[in-house]
Amino acid sequence: MHAIVVGGGIGGLAAAAGLHRVGWTVTVLEKAPAFGDVGAGISLWPNALRCLDELGVDLGERLAPQREGGFRDRRGRRITRFDSAEVTRRHGRPLGAIHRRDLIAALRDAVPADSLETGAEVTEVREDGLVRVGAKELRADLVVAADGIHSRVRHTLFPDHPEPVYTGSTAFRGVAHLPGTGLSTSFDRGTEVGVLPLTGGDVYWWISTLAEPGARRADLEQAFGGWHEPIPALLAATPPEAVLHHDLYYLGTPLNTYTRGRVALLGDAAHAMPPFLGQGGCQAIEDAVVLAHAVSTEDSVEAALGSYDRSRRPRSQKVVRESVRMGKLGPQLTNPVATALRTAVLKRLPAKATARVGAGITGWTPPRLPRPVPPRTP
């Protein structure tokens, strides 16, 4: 059986790894000239780490387990502590962080090199499994559309579906080298600044702040120089040309199905969400494991896609709703009375309770995938 995966990001490569692991031949079509050396960092919650185990993806020392940290105000005053030990105890995995390029590299290593094609822009996908790349015509038993939030495949298959909508926030992201920096999330009205240590003394930082879509990038060092350390130091240590700036969109109208014919939508193409729970990439990795499990246990592609849709659509769309809600309660909250009340509630929250927040999402366990059979020695 042959699958074509449209898109070589986290979701596409995870899908390819899963399908290869259960015995399918895969072809990954990535329109960029190379895989992966893009983006900044990404958080990997226990649900995603369990999925990567099923996919046979070894992150090794590239993964940075997060230690003690907490929530602070812009002046650095602690609001509440994040109990990382309790997260590990409850879920068997820590909260992890990794540079996006390292995650892409690990996923790519789980897929045969001859299955990966770059510079391959898909111009057409049909429900019957036909895929056109320029003048070339390919056919597959299954097509996985993992081509992102502005998915061309989704638009082709669901032309009347509303396009993604603006969350109201824009985001800045970067990676700086600042050894000894700890985990933190800091709030002010309408703004959140997150700090996630990576390996080797590198630190992933992000800022989300309310702004009009398309607004020009502010001078970050001037705008956030009055925040507590290490925020000004991280901004100063990040070259301006290395700062990523994106307005934040999500799929505000849920799809009625993630499949059409022999095509499955996966990741942001199916359920693009705001980043306020750190679950966008995690949910794409979940999709990949469930899809691989479905094709390895059902009798036909049609049955497998039905199973995939029934399993993934309710859960992933719930995570989208929770991400929107978390944004409104957190980085998008501007009312001074409401923000003061939020701070008061968080201050009274025991550190161990932070491990229970979102446990229904991070505690999810993937289905087991068949283990590859080692070759017999003569």
Side-chain angles (χ1 to χ4, degrees):
M1 302 292 280
H2 178 221
I4 292 176
V5 180
V6 182
I10 291 171
L13 289 172
L19 292 167
H20 170 67
R21 191 168 178 83
V22 299
W24 279 54
T25 300
V26 294
T27 302
V28 180
L29 304 174
E30 168 55 44
K31 69 178 182 179
F35 285 96
D37 195 13
V38 294
I42 182 172
S43 58
L44 293 174
W45 290 88
N47 53 312
L49 294 177
R50 284 189 285 268
C51 288
L52 291 170
D53 288 345
E54 287 302 315
L55 295 173
V57 175
D58 182 13
L59 301 179
E61 295 183 355
R62 293 173 286 197
L63 181 73
Q66 298 303 292
R67 308 302 180 192
E68 296 304 311
F71 297 95
R72 299 180 180 275
D73 65 16
R74 63 175 294 164
R75 294 170 58 185
R77 294 174 298 191
R78 173 166 283 175
I79 298 172
T80 190
R81 186 172 65 86
F82 174 73
D83 193 331
S84 59
E86 181 66 10
V87 170
T88 303
R89 188 192 70 79
R90 288 179 65 91
H91 300 300
R93 300 288 193 283
L95 165 62
I98 191 170
H99 198 293
R100 190 173 293 262
R101 67 164 180 251
D102 291 336
L103 176 57
I104 290 288
L107 290 166
R108 192 178 63 232
D109 289 344
V111 181
D114 59 4
S115 296
L116 305 173
E117 295 187 22
T118 56
E121 185 169 1
V122 173
T123 56
E124 183 181 4
V125 171
R126 293 201 321 219
E127 295 180 31
D128 62 0
L130 180 141
V131 177
R132 283 198 174 92
V133 184
K136 185 168 59 174
E137 187 175 287
L138 307 173
R139 287 193 175 273
D141 300 289
L142 168 65
V143 179
V144 180
D147 54 338
I149 184 171
H150 299 292
S151 169
R152 178 183 291 184
V153 179
R154 184 185 67 235
H155 181 73
T156 298
L157 298 179
F158 305 93
D160 298 325
H161 192 81
E163 291 298 306
V165 296
Y166 186 50
T167 64
S169 293
T170 194
F172 304 90
R173 295 175 293 140
V175 174
H177 188 70
L178 199 66
T181 302
L183 169 72
S184 69
T185 300
S186 303
F187 290 110
D188 196 15
R189 285 187 286 172
T191 302
E192 175 186 77
V193 181
V195 176
L196 277 173
L198 303 174
T199 57
D202 285 344
V203 181
Y204 166 47
W205 60 264
W206 78 90
I207 298 169
S208 75
T209 188
L210 293 174
E212 292 297 320
R216 294 180 60 186
R217 191 176 79 188
D219 183 332
L220 294 181
E221 288 189 61
Q222 180 178 355
F224 294 92
W227 286 56
H228 68 85
E229 291 294 351
I231 294 167
L234 289 169
L235 297 176
T238 307
E241 65 275 12
V243 176
L244 303 175
H245 179 203
H246 296 97
D247 291 334
L248 301 177
Y249 286 79
Y250 73 106
L251 205 59
T253 302
L255 287 162
N256 292 324
T257 177
Y258 288 175
T259 68
R260 183 63 62 85
R262 292 183 173 271
V263 183
L265 299 178
L266 184 144
D268 282 350
H271 46 68
M273 62 190 66
F276 304 127
L277 283 176
Q279 280 288 324
C282 298
Q283 290 301 301
I285 297 169
E286 283 190 14
D287 290 347
V289 175
V290 171
L291 181 62
H293 180 264
V295 301
S296 69
T297 54
E298 299 290 346
D299 294 333
S300 66
V301 170
E302 180 183 15
L305 292 184
S307 173
Y308 167 75
D309 182 56
R310 289 190 299 273
S311 175
R312 291 306 302 154
R313 191 157 42 88
R315 173 169 165 78
S316 59
Q317 291 178 354
K318 177 182 177 182
V319 178
V320 174
R321 294 191 299 271
E322 288 297 307
S323 298
V324 172
R325 188 176 72 90
M326 186 59 67
K328 292 178 178 178
L329 293 175
Q332 296 182 316
L333 195 63
T334 59
N335 181 285
V337 175
T339 53
L341 179 60
R342 177 191 63 193
T343 299
V345 170
L346 287 175
K347 281 183 176 179
R348 300 175 70 89
L349 192 68
K352 285 191 175 183
T354 60
R356 297 197 296 270
V357 176
I361 296 173
T362 57
W364 186 82
T365 300
R368 301 298 302 274
L369 297 184
R371 294 304 188 256
V373 178
R376 299 179 63 182
T377 56

